[in-house]
Every structure is written in structure tokens, then in C-alpha cells.
Amino acid sequence: MSTITLAGQALEVDEGGFLLNPDQWTPEVADDLARQAGIDPLTERHWQVIDFCRRDAAEKGTPPSLRRITKVLGVPTKELYTLFPKGPGILAARIAGLTKPKGCV
Amino acid sequence: MKKLLILGGGTAGTLMSAKMRRALPRDEWAITVVDQDDTHVYQPGLLFVPFGVYRARDIVRSRARYAPRGVELILAGVDRIDPDASKVRLKGGTELSYDFLILATGSRIVPAELEGLTGPGWQESAFDFYTLDGADRLFHALSRFDRGRLVLNVAEMPIKCPVAPLEFLFLADWHLRKRGVRENVELVYATPLDGAFTKPKASEVLGQLLIDKGIRVESLFQASEVNGQDRTLSSWDGRQLPYDLLVSIPTHMGSQSIGDSDMGDELAFVPTDPHSLRSKGWDNVFVLGDATDLPSSKAGSVAHFQGGVVEENLLRSIGERPLGDGFDGHANCFIETGFGKAVLIDFNYDTEPLPGRFPLAGIGPLRLLKESRFNHWGKLAFQWIYWNMLLAGRELPFVETRMSMRGKWT
């Protein structure tokens, strides 16, 4: 656990950089989290994904899997990798202020 | 006469039919189990088939043999479930109505979900071991394999028995060493996870075993395509892994009938209350085993632990009493590590696998999160327990439905 300052707030994050207190998330925090991950700026398309992840997590209690994002939101996997390079499932969840996707064990 | 209908005659369906037949009076309740075939596979045994430890015929029995007295077994595929009308139509047109339905329809692999996997080279240089046929074909390929790169890929989570990919690699290392060809073979584990396993303490122990055995890990590897002609596996982030032998754990989905009946999520797993195990959509439908959308492991031990909860809640539902929330995500898995040893893990929704002794605190005889020979014997002995106790819906000695912290070191 460590503390970082984003969008003028001191925020506690875990070792993976995920917010420990989801109530501290704001769109400005998302902008800063994205910038840290090399995404600048967040486009409308990014926000579609982030908004979906937040809505779905609120409903299901856990961030959506990659397949769920592609299938339900309709953004192809290839595009998700362009929007959120390396690991879109994990990165989108982190920027959206959610927990790390469980990967189901 | 009231009707309890159970779809699926595998681990979960069979043990539920036995439990409910004991619990419900025969003159009031008819119990019917439906399955598409008469082949009951002891699925934990599939892991051992590619290495010649078991033959395919050693792990298969007739479902009919395990249908309890007083339970009707119908061998037919399910065409459509209509949960709003409490009816099920079978292939061939027969219609069954029910008062309560238990979905124990399991999960299946769908290799075609990964682009190119079922194209050129499928079952020649690319195999699965989650089906009897696949495991048997891989046995023949593996017995000829003496040099090159073996890649094991998990296409997508969730999979049945999340530790099986690790066990396969540990056993492959043992098998190749025994044959004196290990130094000619590179073993690679390509996984979408960010480590050996998803739970930190176990990931550490199992990750160290992978290092000790010289197995390379490609983590966060989300497979995009198999090119069977060039024998290359690619990932969405642009990595390419050439292989000589590809062992794939393909995408898992729930039963086709669940998808066709619009009862499932994007992978045809049924939305289920994590504690009561009642379906989220219908009050007279309960779900257990691999068919649920729960974050618990898809494993026989989980179906066993869920069985007691479904029995309790089904009886409460029938008696119009409030449901209990008995399920805690309890799972218990042996992890075969090769050379006659195994690791045992015991965990639930909230508590990750921890070291200790099991099932008796301080005594064992099994060791948690540590390799031992006794664990390996436990794993082999389990087939007997499975056919004779687990399927009959009996409690196992010393092993409780809810996970216990006794004997665990924190």
C-alpha cells in the first residue's frame, strides 16, 4: 500500500496501483491515472469503456472481463488493446477506480 | 405428485439426486435426472491420461450405474428450458414440467472460440486434454515428443480446475525427465493471468515450483490466434510464440441449452446468488457446480460443498421458509507436482490458500500449500472416494461444507 497524489488529492493505492477507496475516484483522477499509464488524453471512446466498466461493476460487484466488455459494449478486442495497451481488462479497471479483475479462481 | 427435475448427471447432478432422494418422501416427490449421454467421466483423471498414468477407459463409467434407486434417469439432450412456465423440452420433443429445477449442466470447452485453433494442425500439433478424446490423442503425441518447444496456453478464464495447467506442466516435466529427453524440450506456460495463480500466497509457492522445474512463464498473454501451418500462437499485444506442440485449455462455456434458453451470461453461465445458490432469475431454480457464474473454482470439490447448501435451501423453499446463505466459496484441490508428490490447497471466497495441516489441525496427515508424497496418494485415492462416496452425496470424513481455519497458519 502506498499514497500518491492525483488531481490534487492524496490517494491510497495497492501494490498494483488500484485505488483502495473507490469513493475518491473522480473523472480528473481517471485522467491522471491514465496519464501515468501513458494514455494522454482520454478520448470519448476511452470514456465509453470506463463508464461501462463502472456501471457493470456497480451492478455485478466485480469489474467486467475482456469478453464481457467486447460482447456487451461491442468494442472489438483489437481496439481495446489500442485504447488500453498491454492489458485492457486490468488497465481499464484501474483507471475506472475499480478493483483488480479477479480472473475467477 | 410433485416433481424435482435435475438437468445434468455429472458430479453435481448425481450427488444432488442422491441427497434429494434421501430427503424427499417418495410418495410425494418424483425425481428425474436428464443427461445427453451415458458416459460419466471422472474428470480429475483426465490430467493423467496424456502421461499414460490412466487410460481413457479407467476413468469412465455408466451414469445409469450411479442413478440412485427411486430416481428416473432420462438420456436425452435438452432442447430448450422455459423457466417462466417451469417446463423443459428435450430433443425429440418430449416435454417435462417441474416444481423445482436444479441446473447442474456443467461447462464445456469451445476450441473454435480461439481463431485458428481448430484449423490446420488441430489434434496433430495442437491438442486439448479436457475431453476423453483430446486427452487420449495427446497421450499418443506426447509419447513421440522428444525435442522442441511445448507451449501450454490458457485461452481465457474461467476454466475448470484452475490449477490443471500448472499440474500439466509439472507432470510434463516429470514425464520428459523420466524418458531422458527433458533437456531437448522447452516448456512454456502462456497464461492471461499476471502470475502462476490468482491468489498471492499460492501464486508464490507455485511460481517458485515453475522456476525450480525450469518452466518459462509468459504472463498476461491473451491469445488472439493460432497459426497451425507456421505453428505459432499470437497474443493481442503482439507477442508470438512458435511451438512444436501446443496444449490448449480452450475457452469454457456453459451448456448450449442454457445459452439457447437465454438463461446465461456472455459465456452461458447462469447468474446465481453466491451464498444461497438460487438462480437470480427464478425462485424455483437452483444452480450448482460448473454451471454457475460464481467466482468460486469450477471443481468437483466445490460441487460437493455446494450440494449441502442446495439441499438445505431447496428444503427451505419447499417448506416456504427463508433461504440460508450457507455457501462460502469453499474449494479444496490437490495439485499434482510430479515425481510422486502433490500440494493441497483449501480456500474460499475470502480466505486465500494458506499453509498448514489438513483435515486435522496440527496432525494432517495432508499438508497444505506444501509438496508431500502423502498428498499425492490422497489425490490417487480420491478416485475411489469420488465413485463411492461423493456421487452418493455422502459427507466426507472430517471435511466440512464451510471452510475451517483450524490447522491453517496465518
Side-chain angles (χ1 to χ4, degrees):
Chain A
M1 193 180 86
S2 57
T3 306
I4 55 169
T5 304
L6 291 178
Q9 288 189 74
L11 305 170
E12 285 185 347
V13 293
D14 69 8
E15 60 272 26
F18 290 83
L19 294 192
L20 287 176
N21 182 358
D23 296 338
Q24 293 183 316
W25 184 91
T26 62
E28 293 71 36
V29 168
D31 283 329
D32 276 5
L33 283 167
R35 207 166 297 128
Q36 277 192 339
I39 303 169
D40 190 18
L42 285 174
T43 64
E44 201 172 311
R45 196 69 168 153
H46 287 104
W47 277 108
Q48 277 184 349
V49 177
I50 294 168
D51 287 341
F52 171 76
C53 289
R54 289 184 60 83
R55 269 201 318 275
D56 200 61
E59 194 184 316
K60 301 267 172 188
T62 177
S65 66
L66 208 52
R67 172 178 289 262
R68 191 161 168 83
I69 301 173
T70 56
K71 194 122 179 198
V72 181
L73 187 63
V75 179
T77 311
K78 208 176 171 61
E79 190 187 344
L80 281 173
Y81 269 87
T82 317
L83 292 169
F84 301 95
K86 297 267 160 71
I90 292 175
L91 192 50
R94 196 166 78 205
I95 294 172
L98 306 169
T99 56
K100 187 172 162 181
K102 287 208 178 67
C104 305
V105 163
Chain B
M1 196 76 158
K2 290 202 183 109
K3 292 175 201 158
L4 170 64
L5 179 59
I6 301 173
L7 298 185
T11 310
T14 306
L15 71 86
M16 273 326 298
S17 71
K19 278 182 184 297
M20 297 319 296
R21 190 61 294 172
R22 286 196 294 270
L24 294 172
R26 291 187 185 211
D27 51 351
E28 285 175 35
W29 282 88
I31 302 179
T32 304
V33 175
V34 175
D35 202 288
Q36 57 193 348
D37 59 46
D38 194 31
T39 308
H40 188 132
V41 178
Y42 173 64
Q43 295 189 67
L46 288 168
L47 170 72
F48 294 99
V49 173
F51 307 102
V53 178
Y54 291 148
R55 294 303 182 94
R57 62 170 181 274
D58 299 335
I59 58 170
V60 176
R61 298 204 182 161
S62 157
R63 292 192 204 280
R65 193 173 147 190
Y66 291 88
R69 220 165 289 149
V71 170
E72 182 192 18
L73 173 67
I74 299 179
L75 295 177
V78 171
D79 180 35
R80 196 65 66 126
I81 306 162
D82 182 352
D84 294 325
S86 296
K87 279 186 177 141
V88 172
R89 192 171 68 223
L90 303 181
K91 290 196 170 129
T94 307
E95 208 168 69
L96 304 172
S97 62
Y98 60 81
D99 294 281
F100 281 92
L101 177 67
I102 296 176
L103 293 173
T105 39
S107 63
R108 63 199 168 103
I109 59 161
V110 190
E113 284 289 313
L114 177 57
E115 173 98 35
L117 179 58
T118 54
W122 176 234
Q123 299 193 325
E124 288 163 20
S125 55
F127 299 87
D128 80 274
F129 67 95
Y130 273 57
T131 57
L132 269 182
D133 183 49
D136 193 45
R137 285 171 191 263
L138 181 54
F139 163 68
H140 291 287
L142 206 54
S143 60
R144 292 190 302 267
F145 187 68
D146 54 11
R147 62 182 56 246
R149 181 190 277 163
L150 186 160
V151 174
L152 182 131
N153 175 238
V154 175
E156 186 173 356
M157 296 303 280
I159 59 170
K160 271 189 264 210
C161 187
V163 294
L166 298 170
E167 298 185 278
F168 184 90
L169 287 160
F170 296 151
L171 287 173
D173 170 74
W174 162 74
H175 179 80
L176 295 164
R177 272 187 212 283
K178 211 177 51 176
R179 288 170 47 215
V181 296
R182 177 64 178 95
E183 58 273 26
N184 306 331
V185 176
E186 189 189 358
L187 291 174
V188 181
Y189 176 33
T191 172
L193 301 177
D194 59 1
F197 195 59
T198 56
K199 313 254 174 179
K201 285 215 175 63
S203 189
E204 222 169 89
V205 172
L206 298 168
Q208 190 57 45
L209 275 173
L210 287 169
I211 293 169
D212 293 347
K213 292 174 193 288
I215 297 163
R216 192 179 117 202
V217 180
E218 283 284 337
S219 57
L220 292 174
F221 189 97
Q222 196 85 43
S224 59
E225 193 184 356
V226 173
N227 183 328
Q229 253 137 17
D230 298 348
R231 292 189 185 167
T232 304
L233 173 70
S234 307
S235 68
W236 286 103
D237 63 0
R239 277 176 278 174
Q240 297 208 315
L241 276 178
Y243 60 80
D244 297 287
L245 187 63
L246 174 65
V247 178
S248 171
I249 301 186
T251 297
H252 281 53
M253 289 189 177
S255 158
Q256 177 92 42
S257 60
I258 300 294
D260 289 349
S261 308
D262 288 328
M263 292 178 77
D265 64 9
E266 63 281 358
L267 286 168
F269 292 122
V270 185
T272 305
D273 183 272
H275 301 292
S276 76
L277 301 176
R278 183 156 73 179
S279 84
K280 286 185 176 166
W282 298 273
D283 283 355
N284 63 342
V285 180
F286 286 85
V287 197
L288 81 165
D290 294 354
T292 75
D293 71 337
L294 300 178
S296 47
S297 294
K298 298 198 181 297
S301 65
V302 174
H304 165 76
F305 295 132
Q306 289 173 334
V309 176
V310 171
E311 175 183 1
E312 167 79 23
N313 277 338
L314 194 50
L315 293 175
R316 285 176 183 232
S317 273
I318 290 168
E320 296 180 2
R321 284 174 293 140
L323 300 189
D325 53 0
F327 187 57
D328 65 351
H330 191 186
N332 180 290
C333 312
F334 288 102
I335 306 170
E336 193 67 13
T337 52
F339 300 94
K341 292 185 182 173
V343 170
L344 179 66
I345 54 176
D346 191 64
F347 58 103
N348 69 9
Y349 286 140
D350 305 315
T351 307
E352 62 168 322
L354 295 169
R357 295 278 188 170
F358 188 88
L360 302 175
I363 297 169
L366 303 173
R367 304 190 73 149
L368 292 170
L369 206 48
K370 189 160 174 42
E371 276 190 293
S372 87
R373 292 196 179 276
F374 213 96
N375 289 344
H376 165 72
W377 298 334
K379 174 138 186 154
L380 293 184
F382 195 74
Q383 184 167 190
W384 187 91
I385 295 172
Y386 180 86
W387 293 116
N388 294 288
M389 297 174 79
L390 196 114
L391 288 186
R394 301 285 180 193
E395 298 307 313
L396 303 186
F398 311 114
V399 184
E400 294 157 33
T401 293
R402 293 182 79 95
M403 195 201 75
S404 162
M405 286 304 288
R406 285 195 304 276
K408 291 190 171 68
W409 307 331
T410 52

